[in-house]
């Protein structure tokens, strides 16, 4: 899933439902791993046009090409109730690319995915910002990479750049701070690379180290494409990768003991058992917690791992929001069913390293709810 999956918006509606402004829709389905469909959208701004790659993923793949169709429109504003139909030959394709002209104004490309058999539709959109800093893409085995991360053992081709200057960042980016902390982590706009190398378009790129890779025409360019290289990801299984995400629900002493366990499963298990004081609760804790870690790694991976991001942190601890409203500069998550009536606002903070990064507006009012929920996690009482 692309790192700019953050612009992916989804809502389940009747196919015949009246049109409505995109800003008024509850997009919590966009982050629901059990949703029936997911449309991945990957816009690339070249010097002359937009290339928008898309791929529809469905739970039931039986006759997907016959069962689903996509209607494309463009809107000038999130407040528009209807869009301008886009003439394309791709209406019957569930995986393809669209080519659109560049515009000096921000526009919104909207896709209505229709299941013709059950007469339901899902709405997705992406923002075509004239300053969007992605001007290339990565392919594997002839297909556009659909995630913000790739595997250490795979090989790839960079497309869109005649010569790609690749900057490597071996930075252990910081974990998100609790929502009541006084600091918030924005994307650095001037990180120093650990190494730089060059590759020609069409040349095979093999990543030898985990970390962040930025591909550009040159190191001073304001556009490019980034990819995060990981191992044992997005579903974590190794002891050394399981330990770090537990930082949100452990004490400092417990966390240090987990990190020192390295590959020693017995030592790791003893620490987790010490948290819950019950073997079955320990198993339930690990199962439920790391299911959410996997989801946020899929959804929110950017210049750093998904579980380290602000949205990833909130999702892991509090779960799927009841409501998600998206605006041009922010996302608002509402939790109404918990009895706490909490609302989190994430402000968009873009850079070439992550054009769709969001930073949580922190507030001390979250402190009590945070510790109460952490206590539930530690007792595995979900």
């Amino acid at each position: 899933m692309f790192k700019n999956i953050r612009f992916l918006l989804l809502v389940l509606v009747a196919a015949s439902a009246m049109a409505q402004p995109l800003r008024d829709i509850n997009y919590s389905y966009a982050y629901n791993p059990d949703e029936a469909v997911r449309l991945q959208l990957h816009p690339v701004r070249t010097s002359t046009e937009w290339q928008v790659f898309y791929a529809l993923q469905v739970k039931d793949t039986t006759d997907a090409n016959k069962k689903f169709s996509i209607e494309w429109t463009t809107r000038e504003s999130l407040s528009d109730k209807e869009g301008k139909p886009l003439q394309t030959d791709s209406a019957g394709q569930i995986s393809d690319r669209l080519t659109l002209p560049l515009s000096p104004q921000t526009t919104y490309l909207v896709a209505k995915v229709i299941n013709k058999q059950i007469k339901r539709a899902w709405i997705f959109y992406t923002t075509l910002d004239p300053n969007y800093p992605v001007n290339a893409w990565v392919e594997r085995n002839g297909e556009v990479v659909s995630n913000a991360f790739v595997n250490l053992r795979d090989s790839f081709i960079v497309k869109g750049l005649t010569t790609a200057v690749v900057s490597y960042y071996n930075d252990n980016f910081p974990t998100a701070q609790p929502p009541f902390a006084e600091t918030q982590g924005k994307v650095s706009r001037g990180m120093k690379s650990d190494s730089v190398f060059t590759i020609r378009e069409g040349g095979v790129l093999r990543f030898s180290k985990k970390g962040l890779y930025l591909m550009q025409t040159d190191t001073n360019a304001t556009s490019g494409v980034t990819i995060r290289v990981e191992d044992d990801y997005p579903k974590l299984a190794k002891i050394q990768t399981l330990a770090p995400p537990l930082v949100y629900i452990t004490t400092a002493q417990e966390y240090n003991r987990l990190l020192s366990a390295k590959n020693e499963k017995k030592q790791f298990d003893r620490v987790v058992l010490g948290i819950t004081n019950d073997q079955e609760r320990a198993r339930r804790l690990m199962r439920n917690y790391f299911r959410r870690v996997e989801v946020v790694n899929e959804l929110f991976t950017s210049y750093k791992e998904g579980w380290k991001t602000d949205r990833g942190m909130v999702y892991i601890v509090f779960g799927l929001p009841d409501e998600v409203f998206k605006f041009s500069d922010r996302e608002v998550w509402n939790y109404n069913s918990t009895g706490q009536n909490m609302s989190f606002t994430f402000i968009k903070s873009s850079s070439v390293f992550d054009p769709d990064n969001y930073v949580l507006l922190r507030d001390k009012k979250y402190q009590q709810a945070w510790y109460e929920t952490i206590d539930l996690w530690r007792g595995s009482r979900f």
Side-chain angles (χ1 to χ4, degrees), residues 262-329:
K262 299 184 186 293
N263 292 320
E264 295 295 329
K265 186 177 185 302
K266 288 184 178 180
Q267 181 179 341
F268 181 91
D269 290 345
R270 280 196 298 269
V271 179
V272 176
L273 182 59
I275 295 172
T276 62
N277 296 313
D278 181 88
Q279 194 172 55
E280 178 55 36
R281 285 184 176 182
R283 283 195 290 264
R284 187 164 63 245
L285 166 66
M286 293 295 289
R287 181 173 59 250
N288 293 337
Y289 193 84
F290 281 95
R291 173 57 179 143
R292 291 190 185 178
V293 170
E294 180 184 358
V295 171
V296 301
N297 285 344
E298 286 276 4
L299 290 173
F300 304 128
T301 294
S302 58
Y303 69 100
K304 61 183 178 181
E305 300 94 312
W307 67 264
K308 288 185 176 181
T309 65
D310 284 355
R311 289 184 298 177
M313 170 195 60
V314 172
Y315 193 110
I316 289 172
V317 174
F318 295 104
L320 175 69
D322 297 300
E323 296 175 332
V324 174
F325 296 100
K326 298 204 173 191
F327 306 92
S328 59
D329 62 342

Side-chain angles (χ1 to χ4, degrees), residues 119-157:
K119 299 186 184 301
R120 278 189 170 180
W122 294 259
I123 303 298
F124 304 77
Y125 81 78
T126 186
T127 303
L128 303 182
D129 184 340
N131 296 316
Y132 193 65
V134 177
N135 64 347
W137 65 96
V138 177
E139 292 185 1
R140 175 179 51 207
N141 299 326
E143 296 185 357
V144 177
V145 173
S146 59
N147 294 317
F149 54 88
V150 295
N151 194 285
L152 187 63
R153 292 173 291 275
D154 289 338
S155 58
F156 308 88
I157 296 176

